[in-house]
Amino acid sequence: MRYFGWAMAIVFVLLAPNVFWLGTSTLRIQNLSNSSVDSVVYMACETTHMIGTVAPHQSIFRFLPACGDDTLEIMIGKNKFCQTYVEGELYHVDAVLNGVDHVSCRYDHLLSSLFIVKALW
């Protein structure tokens, strides 16, 4: 019984951040190209959020502001990509940079990965 209690405590510690994650919306920008991408910005809640330079194979994780129905846009310089619908909670978007002229976005399924993994890798 004692081991069961410890096992449940470990599971709780690992999964508790996911409960918090369900109440937010997030964005992960990952540069899969072999060169840096400069002037990366995202727009959410009618506010510009500067990221700056994303190094090759670097990931950047951000919590999106909660403002209700909105469109998330990724911009590199003056080029706009990924006009993606988001809300203040339950929307998790992965943006992949494959250079300065190709960006792809997709929704991440809520239960496909742990919050800790998404935020740190």
Side-chain angles (χ1 to χ4, degrees):
M1 190 67 173
R2 183 173 133 197
Y3 294 113
F4 179 74
W6 278 106
M8 292 306 295
I10 290 170
V11 168
F12 177 77
V13 166
L14 289 175
L15 296 181
N18 272 15
V19 174
F20 170 72
W21 192 34
L22 293 175
T24 64
S25 287
T26 61
L27 169 66
R28 183 173 140 197
I29 299 174
Q30 186 174 16
N31 182 2
L32 294 183
S33 71
N34 290 323
S35 59
S36 294
V37 178
D38 298 328
S39 303
V40 178
V41 173
Y42 70 92
M43 292 276 300
C45 295
E46 299 180 11
T47 305
T48 302
H49 302 272
M50 184 66 148
I51 297 292
T53 301
V54 182
H57 306 288
Q58 179 185 11
S59 275
I60 295 175
F61 183 84
R62 297 288 189 265
F63 288 99
L64 296 175
C67 63
D69 299 346
D70 193 34
T71 300
L72 172 70
E73 293 181 335
I74 306 294
M75 293 179 286
I76 300 174
K78 295 184 185 238
N79 297 324
K80 293 183 180 182
F81 303 94
C82 299
Q83 287 81 21
T84 306
Y85 175 81
V86 293
E87 292 181 6
E89 55 192 30
L90 298 175
Y91 282 80
H92 305 287
V93 179
D94 287 328
V96 176
L97 311 177
N98 289 310
V100 297
D101 58 350
H102 189 268
V103 178
S104 61
C105 292
R106 68 175 179 83
Y107 292 109
D108 185 20
H109 187 272
L110 292 175
L111 302 176
S112 66
S113 60
L114 293 174
F115 167 75
I116 301 290
V117 173
K118 183 66 76 174
L120 298 178
W121 277 272

